[in-house]
Amino acid sequence: MEQVMRRVVVTGLGVISPVGNSVESCWNSLTEGKNGIAPITYFDTTEYKAKLAAEIKGFDAKEYMDKTEILKSDRFTQYAMGAACQAVEDSSIIGTVEPERFAVYFGSGIGGIGTFSREHEKLMERGPSRVSPYFIPMLIANMAAGAIAIRFNCQGAAIPAVTACASGSNAIGEAVRAIRHGYADAAITGGSEAPITDCGVAGFVNIKALSLSEDPDAASLPFDKRRAGFVIGEGAGALILEEYEHAKARGAKIYAEVTGYGSTCDAYHITAPRPDASGGARAIKEALKESAYTGDGNIYINAHGTGTFLNDTGETKAIKSALGEEKARDILISSTKSMTGHMLGAAGALEAIVCVKVLETGIVPPTINLKEPDPECDLNYVPNKAVKADIDMCLSNSLGFGGHNACLAFRRV
């Protein structure tokens, strides 16, 4: 007998980002085209080729955690907790779901790289006895999920997705599947990252992934022929996902429904995408198929859009392949990474929230600083200014190192 899939809706949102530490401030910045990229302040960049990043400004972990918790946690966990606390408060879900039916799916591509750098420095300079006893729990990439589960007594599954730049999207997608198939009634999900460290930036520079521009308005340039790498960012995004009937019964505010999820792998190269973009295209097609897409309606895609040469041309191919050339030219696409930089494991989570807000507000944020379009990237990337549009479905693409591809689809309820 065929199983009836349960519907999954979004009932809470939370954001810690380079352009605002709340959903409202972040969304206002994105729709106004504000750039969150600036010179790195976390360490001396004199000897570094990359000088810019999208750092978090004005974040105070004490708003979400006590002093002891802060001392025992990496910044990626602190950002995750901030976003999760916002989303939980927004949803009013506490006390409405059994702990055993409440899950956490929270991704991070790198985890506690800042902790690793500091503790390794202690080891080299002062010996092994000086390494913190909390080094390992601060470092490991599952700790954001674990800390959130402890805070909110989520006794269902507490699982991280660790799929590089697709981590946030995969976490959300796997949470959707858990609720659809009856393993949970609700989940706190999303992604978090705090990679702007001396070691982290050095690694991304040496793999030739980062923009070396020193002009914040000429650094993160998705789909522009001047693009030459991404700008590293940080932060967290969190969503409360809930089974539709459960949300309806308790009178929850429902932002949108998650109608589709595609997850594929290029199985091709550790960093480069498959040249024909077939893996990304399949992820989009899977999300559309689950959403019962028939070819009608207005679509917005929040593109992965990193500003690297191979990603942007490949993603353009994937969109055309998945939707067909005619439909691909008819839709609106933008890369909010032009403003937030690339938040790595947090990117998909923030960009999923952007999709939800597009459905809610009818405003599509722009791709800023898109002044010289690449002829190979020839779709409508909403250059420089937000537009108003009646959008029926939003897709969020994430394409990660290792060939990980994820696509999430959202509709209004």
Side-chain angles (χ1 to χ4, degrees), residues 46-179:
T46 301
E47 296 184 7
Y48 286 74
K49 294 179 181 178
K51 309 289 187 182
L52 302 178
E55 296 178 349
I56 299 297
K57 298 99 176 166
F59 175 75
D60 186 355
K62 294 192 293 294
E63 294 181 20
Y64 308 104
M65 307 169 76
D66 65 35
K67 185 176 180 181
T68 303
E69 290 176 312
I70 294 168
L71 292 172
K72 296 176 182 177
S73 62
D74 187 88
R75 274 191 299 140
F76 92 97
T77 297
Q78 295 168 19
Y79 294 158
M81 187 64 76
C85 286
Q86 291 177 24
V88 166
E89 182 177 4
D90 184 38
S91 70
S92 301
I93 195 169
I94 298 302
T96 72
V97 58
E98 291 298 319
E100 296 85 356
R101 304 287 299 166
F102 201 4
V104 180
Y105 285 78
F106 222 88
S108 181
I110 299 176
I113 191 172
T115 293
F116 182 90
S117 295
R118 287 190 299 274
E119 297 304 320
H120 185 262
E121 187 176 336
K122 287 182 190 177
L123 174 66
M124 293 294 98
E125 293 181 357
R126 300 163 67 187
S129 65
R130 306 301 303 202
V131 172
S132 170
Y134 297 105
F135 170 45
I136 298 302
M138 291 171 71
L139 165 73
I140 50 182
N142 69 299
M143 198 46 65
I148 291 167
I150 291 167
R151 168 65 65 87
F152 297 109
N153 192 29
C154 302
Q155 296 181 29
I159 297 175
V162 185
T163 49
C165 315
S167 298
S169 292
N170 279 135
I172 295 166
E174 297 306 316
V176 169
R177 287 179 174 173
I179 296 170

Side-chain angles (χ1 to χ4, degrees), residues 231-256:
V231 175
I232 196 167
E234 62 175 351
L239 301 86
I240 305 301
L241 300 186
E242 198 169 342
E243 193 272 323
Y244 172 64
E245 295 296 340
H246 184 278
K248 198 167 89 168
R250 72 179 185 88
K253 177 181 179 179
I254 297 175
Y255 286 98

Side-chain angles (χ1 to χ4, degrees), residues 233-383:
E234 62 175 351
L239 301 86
I240 305 301
L241 300 186
E242 198 169 342
E243 193 272 323
Y244 172 64
E245 295 296 340
H246 184 278
K248 198 167 89 168
R250 72 179 185 88
K253 177 181 179 179
I254 297 175
Y255 286 98
E257 181 174 358
V258 192
T259 55
Y261 168 50
S263 180
T264 68
C265 185
D266 286 351
Y268 173 73
H269 188 271
I270 57 172
T271 56
R274 188 175 282 275
D276 64 3
S278 57
R282 282 193 300 114
I284 297 170
K285 288 176 182 177
E286 288 179 9
L288 291 171
K289 183 178 179 181
E290 286 193 353
S291 299
Y293 173 68
T294 61
D296 298 324
N298 295 325
I299 292 178
Y300 164 68
I301 297 180
N302 188 289
H304 189 57
T306 59
T308 61
F309 179 78
L310 291 177
N311 175 87
D312 293 2
T313 54
E315 188 169 14
T316 299
K317 287 180 187 177
I319 293 169
K320 290 178 179 178
S321 175
L323 289 167
E325 186 96 15
E326 183 178 352
K327 185 65 177 181
R329 295 189 181 283
D330 187 46
I331 66 174
L332 298 175
I333 306 163
S334 66
S335 173
T336 45
K337 289 185 180 72
S338 59
M339 295 171 272
T340 66
H342 192 349
M343 295 163 61
L344 305 181
L350 176 63
E351 291 158 12
I353 292 168
V354 169
C355 287
V356 170
K357 294 296 289 182
V358 168
L359 290 172
E360 182 186 37
T361 65
I363 301 172
V364 173
T367 305
I368 68 167
N369 296 315
L370 179 48
K371 298 174 181 177
E372 298 181 34
D374 183 341
E376 292 188 56
C377 301
D378 55 353
L379 302 177
N380 184 353
Y381 304 107
V382 191

